[in-house]
Amino acid sequence: MRMKRALAAAGVTVAAMVVPLTVAAPAQASAADCRNYLASQGYIVGPKVKEACAQTGITGYQGCVQRLLNTGVRSEHALIACSKR
């Protein structure tokens, strides 16, 4: 009986770790989401906007926002777009 409980506990633990990973993966934002949002707001998505939306790493969000602001994107749009990337 103890072995069944141990196996059941191990199965539940593995499921608790795997399910969130498989569920969360499709919800990840991307550079395309950033570009699509800006296009929907009427901005021309040229090379500078694509470069801004592609920013990654620790300072990626800040770099994205600053680059979009430098291209003339309004701050409220830049903040939303960069949170989508």
Side-chain angles (χ1 to χ4, degrees):
M1 193 62 142
R2 284 187 139 176
M3 185 61 134
K4 285 184 180 180
R5 285 186 185 168
L7 289 174
V12 169
T13 302
V14 169
M17 291 169 41
V18 172
V19 171
L21 293 176
T22 58
V23 172
Q28 297 298 318
S30 70
D33 295 326
C34 174
R35 294 188 308 265
N36 291 338
Y37 171 76
L38 291 170
S40 74
Q41 298 302 310
Y43 294 99
I44 296 172
V45 180
K48 290 182 180 180
V49 169
K50 289 178 184 177
E51 185 179 315
C53 287
Q55 294 296 300
T56 59
I58 295 172
T59 59
Y61 176 80
Q62 294 168 339
C64 174
V65 171
Q66 188 58 53
R67 287 175 186 227
L68 289 177
L69 292 174
N70 291 345
T71 63
V73 173
R74 290 177 39 189
S75 62
E76 61 268 20
H77 294 151
L79 294 171
I80 293 169
C82 291
S83 68
K84 294 181 175 288
R85 56 144 201 91

